[in-house]
DNA sequence: TTGTATGCGTTATCAG
DNA sequence: CTGATAACGCATACAA
């Protein structure tokens, strides 16, 4: 007992027609008589015919499938982005294949090769924080594969990119802490090999400066693995509080870092904002319930997914080289959950 | 400029061989001379040949792709399950296509038809709470499509199922509230058209009974849309607190209901556990930081995804009818975050 | 208006 | 050991 699908051939045989006639009738071609059309369509409906998309893909050299590469699905931010991607893809009759790098450059490369050998029509990618060699992506792009980067983009590759205003998000967060009166504001960041790491660190620095606070390197901790390893955060927090004037506030520069930091603080018996204040990037729906623990910077994740997909589909459907590639910057939102006047 | 893949034909032409020889050499067939093999393999490597999986799919009548249907990706529980699914699939060289029903029966049917129109080898499904007509799924199953249900299963369809011990989870939650001394324990549930709705309601009832508390129908609210609509929760909470003896505790029977309920309570200015205690199902990583707001029931989501995929792949690879289908029940975990002694 | 032949990339079956 | 050919399901250029 197997799942046997009905093909165009079955219809042709049953109706005493040729496959091409059936094919054309189904596609409502002008060169088929109304009667034949009706006959075919009704019979197709009756036996529940559906065209085999694989055969179509082979013929049309397109799979109507887009590949998505993120470091982790089970992360509110990424799952919200995927949600957005899926909605747009669905709208245009595209399937979405999802792959996780788990922030390992090796896995990322392997999955990428797999995805592209699986004939996806295009890729939406947020690169792993471990990745330093972008030659495979570059080659893919050079060979004409439509690619849209989001969040963790590759600066060097000239294609569409969708990011949030990382500088401003970090700036707002830090400024907010400064306005609350905190003086020793630490930062927990991603590596600056990632553009998001760089920009958010810059936003943090700028806000410190504008608030008249000194930037001190020893107040910044970098997490190589983006907080995927709990130990990273434990160490970062431990070393921050080992310093003689311990920080009175922390800015966490990414979702994973925010939650990991909260957890690490809790493990050390430190409360937020009792012992140390905190503002961080976070897209979890539950931060809304953490009140009054902290304010958060929220990224328009769903919209980013939608936008990235729109751009990718445009790239896919107009098969021309990307000369007019663009970087779209979406604003972040700061959600204030403490007594400070909102930042404009 | 298009993304042109190199085919077996290109290799054959370049090397002055036939396509069949090349094909066999690549598959390391015994009937090819070592020299030819070496020649072909080296050249293939050099020009970066990868077989076209679509052509393979057409030939082998299998896509090495599994379809996943959930109501919403951006939900901690489901994204954790998908994480598990993806790991196992990846391990076996399968791709994962994800589809969201957004808890609409119509969308679910439409996406299901799309997925199954021949491009997936099997399905992992958690049905929408709106779905009442399972005839399409039944037909799919009858026609031999491998299906594994998880979480929200369809009792009537005889195939593998993976669920958590919903009864026990609900029982533990309710018992915990009872042990804390609460007497008027309300419940916010999914519809009992869903097995999970039925079982969790039963667990709630049983725990009330064992604690010597009366079950009162007016203390139970049902959310048709599983909490997808914020208004559902607003109404549920409003009507619960409109009753003359308002509840002193709430058991929320699903992730979405837990967060929605917390939000609704907050909107009404009620604090947890100050004004009303609460225990609910929740798989968000952030509930761990909500301390001491409430204890939660956590499902082994990742493991469920892994298990469901293992079962599905078994079904797919051994193409026999499912006679020995089974329902695997995984235990839930109660995470205590208040002063009550842990439930055994 | 309808039918025939061909090709998309691959492998299996036959011949040589 | 290697090559020609058919087939997977569909669409289309070309015939009729």
């Amino acid at each position: 007992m197997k799942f046997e699908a009905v093909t165009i051939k079955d219809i042709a045989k049953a109706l005493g027609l040729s496959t091409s006639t059936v094919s054309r009738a189904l596609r409502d071609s002008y060169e088929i008589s109304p009667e034949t059309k009706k006959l075919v369509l009704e019979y197709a409906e009756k036996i529940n015919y559906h065209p085999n998309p694989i055969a179509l893909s082979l013929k049309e050299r397109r799979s109507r499938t887009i590949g998505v590469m993120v470091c982790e699905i089970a992360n509110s931010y990424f799952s919200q982005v995927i949600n957005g991607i899926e909605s747009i893809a669905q709208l245009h009759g595209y399937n979405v294949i999802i792959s996780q790098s788990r922030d390992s450059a090796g896995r990322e490369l392997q999955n990428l090769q797999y995805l592209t050998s699986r004939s996806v029509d295009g890729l939406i990618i947020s690169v792993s924080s471990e990745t330093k060699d972008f030659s495979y992506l570059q080659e893919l792009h050079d060979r004409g594969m439509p690619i849209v980067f989001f969040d963790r983009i590759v600066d060097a590759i000239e294609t569409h990119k969708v990011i949030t205003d990382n500088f401003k998000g970090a700036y707002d967060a830090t400024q907010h802490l400064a306005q609350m009166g905190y003086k020793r504001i630490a930062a927990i960041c991603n590596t600056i090999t990632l553009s998001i790491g760089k920009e958010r660190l810059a936003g943090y620095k700028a806000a410190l400066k504008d608030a008249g606070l000194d930037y001190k390197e020893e107040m910044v901790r970098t997490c190589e693995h983006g907080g995927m390893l709990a130990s990273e955060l434990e160490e970062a927090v431990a070393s921050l509080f080992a310093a003689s004037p311990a920080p009175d506030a922390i800015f966490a520069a990414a979702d994973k870092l925010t939650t990991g930091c909260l957890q690490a603080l809790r493990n050390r018996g430190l409360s937020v904002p009792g012992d140390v204040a905190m503002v961080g990037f976070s897209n979890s729906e539950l931060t809304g319930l953490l009140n009054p623990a902290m304010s958060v910077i929220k990224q328009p994740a769903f919209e980013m997914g939608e936008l990235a997909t729109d751009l990718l589909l445009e790239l896919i459907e107009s098969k021309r080289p990307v000369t007019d590639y663009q970087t779209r910057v979406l604003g972040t939102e700061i959600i204030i959950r403490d007594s400070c006047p909102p930042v404009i």
Side-chain angles (χ1 to χ4, degrees), chain A residues 164-176:
Chain A
T164 41
D165 195 338
N166 292 303
F167 180 92
K168 178 145 192 307
Y171 186 96
D172 287 352
T174 311
Q175 183 187 46
H176 180 67

Side-chain angles (χ1 to χ4, degrees), chain A residues 32-163:
Chain A
I32 297 291
S33 75
E35 305 111 47
T36 313
K37 254 182 212 170
K38 187 154 170 286
L39 190 69
V40 171
L41 287 173
E42 278 176 358
Y43 186 71
E45 168 80 5
K46 185 181 144 217
I47 64 171
N48 196 31
Y49 168 81
H50 286 283
N52 180 335
I54 291 180
L56 268 172
S57 296
L58 184 60
K59 177 139 245 316
E60 298 179 357
R61 290 137 154 266
R62 66 182 325 194
S63 56
R64 289 197 165 271
T65 298
I66 64 187
V68 176
M69 173 64 89
V70 294
C71 63
E72 203 195 8
I73 298 170
N75 169 311
S76 303
Y77 170 71
F78 287 117
S79 65
Q80 283 166 34
V81 173
I82 292 172
N83 192 358
I85 294 175
E86 209 270 345
S87 354
I88 299 295
Q90 146 98 7
L91 211 62
H92 294 264
Y94 276 74
N95 272 124
V96 177
I97 288 189
I98 300 196
S99 209
Q100 311 188 71
S101 67
R102 294 177 197 284
D103 247 344
S104 139
R107 265 187 98 116
E108 181 174 78
L109 180 61
Q110 186 191 337
N111 291 6
L112 228 39
Q113 286 175 328
Y114 193 64
L115 275 181
T116 51
S117 84
R118 291 304 276 185
S119 322
V120 294
D121 293 343
L123 288 167
I124 295 179
I125 304 179
S126 173
V127 298
S128 123
S129 56
E130 200 187 277
T131 312
K132 273 158 192 110
D133 176 15
F134 302 116
S135 57
Y136 183 73
L137 283 171
Q138 181 68 61
E139 191 200 323
L140 224 45
H141 175 248
D142 291 344
R143 285 171 56 201
M145 170 68 76
I147 299 179
V148 173
F149 290 105
F150 76 95
D151 188 47
R152 302 159 166 201
I153 64 178
V154 178
D155 277 324
I157 299 182
E158 305 197 328
T159 184
H160 293 326
K161 289 154 199 163
V162 178
I163 52 176

Side-chain angles (χ1 to χ4, degrees), chain A residues 81-298:
Chain A
V81 173
I82 292 172
N83 192 358
I85 294 175
E86 209 270 345
S87 354
I88 299 295
Q90 146 98 7
L91 211 62
H92 294 264
Y94 276 74
N95 272 124
V96 177
I97 288 189
I98 300 196
S99 209
Q100 311 188 71
S101 67
R102 294 177 197 284
D103 247 344
S104 139
R107 265 187 98 116
E108 181 174 78
L109 180 61
Q110 186 191 337
N111 291 6
L112 228 39
Q113 286 175 328
Y114 193 64
L115 275 181
T116 51
S117 84
R118 291 304 276 185
S119 322
V120 294
D121 293 343
L123 288 167
I124 295 179
I125 304 179
S126 173
V127 298
S128 123
S129 56
E130 200 187 277
T131 312
K132 273 158 192 110
D133 176 15
F134 302 116
S135 57
Y136 183 73
L137 283 171
Q138 181 68 61
E139 191 200 323
L140 224 45
H141 175 248
D142 291 344
R143 285 171 56 201
M145 170 68 76
I147 299 179
V148 173
F149 290 105
F150 76 95
D151 188 47
R152 302 159 166 201
I153 64 178
V154 178
D155 277 324
I157 299 182
E158 305 197 328
T159 184
H160 293 326
K161 289 154 199 163
V162 178
I163 52 176
T164 41
D165 195 338
N166 292 303
F167 180 92
K168 178 145 192 307
Y171 186 96
D172 287 352
T174 311
Q175 183 187 46
H176 180 67
L177 288 167
Q179 285 178 345
M180 302 267 290
Y182 297 103
K183 300 293 181 198
R184 300 187 306 282
I185 305 174
I188 297 189
C189 301
N190 274 311
T191 62
I192 55 168
T193 50
L194 290 172
S195 52
I196 58 168
K198 217 178 310 183
E199 291 159 14
R200 292 177 189 178
L201 184 60
Y204 161 76
K205 285 184 189 175
L208 284 184
K209 190 177 174 196
D210 291 355
L213 298 171
D214 284 340
Y215 165 70
K216 287 174 197 136
E217 209 165 301
E218 67 265 28
M219 290 298 255
V220 177
R221 291 294 176 280
T222 299
C223 290
E224 283 289 332
H225 300 280
M228 293 288 280
L229 283 66
S231 60
E232 276 187 313
L233 272 313
E234 298 292 347
E235 280 169 33
V237 168
S239 72
L240 277 176
F241 284 88
S244 59
D248 56 6
I250 299 177
F251 157 58
D255 277 53
K256 206 80 190 170
L257 299 177
T258 301
T259 54
C261 183
L262 278 170
Q263 195 68 60
L265 289 170
R266 173 112 157 269
N267 293 346
R268 297 178 63 81
L270 296 169
S271 75
V272 175
D275 297 309
V276 61
M278 191 169 161
V279 176
F281 276 72
S282 178
N283 261 68
S284 171
E285 46 179 16
L286 278 197
T287 57
L289 299 163
L290 278 172
N291 182 28
M294 59 168 189
S295 300
V296 296
I297 303 292
K298 195 173 170 186

Side-chain angles (χ1 to χ4, degrees), chain A residues 8 11-12 15 17-27 32 40:
Chain A
I8 235 174
I11 302 181
L15 265 43
L17 294 168
S18 75
T19 57
S20 43
T21 305
V22 175
S23 171
R24 275 180 286 224
L26 290 169
R27 316 207 91 237
I32 297 291
V40 171

